[in-house]
Amino acid sequence: MTSHTHIPTQMIRAIRSARTQCEERGVIQRECAAIRAQFRQADNGGRSHNLAKLLYVHMLGYPAHFGQMECVRMIASPRYSEKRVGYLGAMMLLDEKQDASLLITNSIKNDLAHSNQYVQSLALCTLACMGSAEMCRDLAPEIDRLLRASNSYIKKKAALCAVHIVRKVHELGELFAPAARSLLSEKNHGVLHGAVVLIIELCERNPETLERFRKTVPDLVQIMKGLVLSGYSPEHDVAGISDPFLQVRILRLLRILGRNNEGASDAMNDLLAQVATNTDSTKTVGNAVLYETVLTVLDIKSESGLRVLAVNILGRFLLNNDRNIRYIAMTSLQKIVGTDHNAVQRHRGTIVDCLKDQDASVKRRALELSLALVSASNIRSMMKELLLFLSSCPPELRAHAASGIFNAAERYAPSQRWHIDTMLHVLITVNTDRATRPAALSHMGFSPSRLTSGCPSAQSLVQVACWCIGEYGDLLLRGDCQETEPVQVTEDDALDALETVLQSHMSSPATRGFALTATMKLSTRITDNVDRIRSIVSIYGSCIDVELQQRAVEYNALFKKYDHMRYAMKKSTCPLYLISPPPPQSVQLHMKAPSGDSLPARGTAKVTQMVVLNNPNKVGLTHTHTHTQKGEHYLNPTNHLPMSRCYHNRL
């Protein structure tokens, strides 16, 4: 026997001494071949050692399926040493999907009736680990019998085995309900723990069983009080807390039983208050019990004072140095902020401080909770903290933070001006391409230099700013908006801002086009700097960019030949959306004569109609006309109109 004892040790030493993966595979192959040869022998005294070596090979990730039948044979052996290794092998090498698992059903049934409690324990553990639905149906009566046994060691294992059976076959829960109820009168903590776990499983599976077990709330309360108020017990004490594992399980069961039931909730209110006040929160074990207490208080129909106490416990968790505790505290507060908003508001300062935490998950939870705490009464102070966080938050949180700030500002803004200030601050801070609402931007009274130079690399924001200056430049110059710090905007300020955009190397061609168009529009809204605008526009008549050159040439034509038409641009156009729908595939032009008649006019009189064709999307257009004398039909292309083009059609 002694020689067999050293065989696994020698094999392990040989595997560990292998210097390469190839050498290790060679050692494993030789050992597996020797194990196979030993399995084929009829009388093999070292079967348990060979199977133990094979299980070690399996733990290393190598195939060991050829040992399944050996596990079945060793389970049927009358020797305990072989049964122990056989059951261990069955739990590791077999599962409910393999046919070989059905071969051990009879052996498990026999061992469940064995006189030795340790043999019974092996059978119970194996059934709870890999028992299939068929095995559970066949062996459920045996488990129910063991639940009523006098041996506490067997009853706690039978209770956990019954949990596995209920999960596999739901309808068998009714079989174990009476026995589970009787186990609550046991004094052994292991049996109580198994009984509570079994009752939780039964209540979650069947509403009728849940109603039946609500009658056990007083018993559970007494058990819990005994644990909380009991003195030091070396057998169950963990860091000064009496059996915290059982306390957590009982609190979880009380939460299930008290949910949506006032009677059960009233019966456990006093207990929950005692647990919340008497449990030490300086140890992790105590925090685990307090956390389950908080979840129970918040989930049942508890008193308002008890709910405030639960929120205060979560507030203390936020001050804990353990980031995991802070994380679960904020997760719990996030769930109740809608129902207990005022109670959570008391811890707003601590929650905002968590925005500075180094852990990304804690920071994300703190951001979500901070956004949920924003209200009309604290919008200014909370927004100041959120904007400060936005300036230094990680890139993965920036979009979420900006979106949350936008929503909060829109919902609780104390004034329209404050709303616009906040939106612009966010856009400049995050340097994003997300455009804001033109309707809101049209009310801005900011200095043009602030708009166009605040974030030069965000082209969309600069384009919106240029559009606003062009459309509402007269409002900027009037200066009658409400400013926190009054700023007098002059015509030169507006033109300087647009000219800066035109000359900046960071401006894209599209942005320069917006700036040039805005400059042209300002010529109808100011009076003293028209010559400067004319000179700016004429400079870009020879620009290397064809699009910009085309715009400049057309605007120069308006100054020289059609100056009387230039003031038609003074009328504000429709709002500009940077994120626009796809441009139309075609544009249909309807023309009317001055008399109001639709064209083509009938008769011999010549009619001249001027048409201003707006084409912001630069769709390739065609215009057609028919020569009335020759009867010819012309189709002339009109490509890439920048903003507008004038046609004189003689019919």
Side-chain angles (χ1 to χ4, degrees), residues 173-393:
E174 291 296 325
L175 176 64
F176 302 119
R181 173 66 180 83
S182 64
L183 291 179
L184 292 178
S185 60
E186 291 286 334
K187 300 298 182 182
N188 185 279
H189 285 205
V191 177
L192 286 174
H193 188 277
V196 172
V197 173
L198 177 57
I199 295 173
I200 291 174
E201 197 68 32
L202 294 174
C203 292
E204 289 179 342
R205 303 284 178 180
N206 193 335
E208 296 180 359
T209 306
L210 174 61
E211 290 296 330
R212 188 186 313 165
F213 276 102
R214 280 204 169 105
K215 300 177 183 179
T216 64
V217 170
D219 298 333
L220 294 170
V221 169
Q222 287 301 121
I223 296 172
M224 190 67 187
K225 282 185 177 180
L227 293 173
V228 174
L229 302 177
S230 64
Y232 174 75
S233 174
E235 184 180 358
H236 307 116
D237 184 84
V238 179
I241 306 297
S242 179
D243 203 344
F245 303 100
L246 181 57
Q247 289 192 41
V248 167
R249 289 294 184 181
I250 293 176
L251 288 169
R252 194 169 299 174
L253 177 56
L254 290 174
R255 181 163 72 250
I256 296 172
L257 297 176
R259 188 179 298 145
N260 300 323
N261 189 280
E262 294 185 1
S265 299
D266 292 340
M268 61 184 77
N269 277 333
D270 293 340
L271 168 70
L272 296 174
Q274 285 183 349
V275 175
T277 54
N278 295 334
T279 303
D280 184 12
S281 61
T282 60
K283 304 288 182 62
T284 304
V285 177
N287 288 330
V289 176
L290 287 174
Y291 179 65
E292 286 295 332
T293 305
V294 169
L295 295 182
T296 304
V297 169
L298 298 178
D299 208 15
I300 66 174
K301 293 183 176 298
S302 56
E303 300 173 351
S304 59
L306 195 57
R307 297 181 71 87
V308 173
L309 178 60
V311 174
N312 291 338
I313 292 174
L314 293 177
R316 292 204 304 269
F317 283 177
L318 293 175
L319 301 174
N320 198 292
N321 294 327
D322 192 334
R323 290 174 178 171
N324 295 323
I325 296 178
R326 294 202 299 273
Y327 180 85
I328 62 172
M330 284 186 287
T331 302
S332 302
L333 290 173
Q334 180 74 26
K335 296 178 181 178
I336 64 172
V337 68
T339 56
D340 297 277
H341 191 270
N342 292 332
V344 181
Q345 280 283 359
R346 297 190 184 98
H347 306 281
R348 187 178 66 205
T350 308
I351 295 170
V352 171
D353 289 340
C354 290
L355 290 172
K356 305 172 185 177
D357 197 282
Q358 298 299 320
D359 188 85
S361 58
V362 174
K363 193 174 294 187
R364 180 182 294 274
R365 285 297 184 189
L367 173 62
E368 294 173 354
L369 189 54
S370 299
L371 292 173
L373 289 176
V374 177
S375 63
S377 60
N378 62 18
I379 180 66
R380 293 183 183 274
S381 59
M382 285 296 294
M383 198 58 64
K384 186 180 300 183
E385 296 291 344
L386 290 172
L387 290 174
L388 182 63
F389 168 76
L390 183 65
S391 62
S392 60
C393 72

Side-chain angles (χ1 to χ4, degrees), residues 532-553:
R532 180 182 175 185
I533 294 175
R534 185 183 290 110
S535 64
I536 293 173
V537 172
S538 62
I539 290 174
Y540 290 92
S542 57
C543 180
I544 192 173
D545 184 82
V546 178
E547 172 66 25
L548 205 60
Q549 182 188 104
Q550 183 179 2
R551 287 177 185 251
V553 170

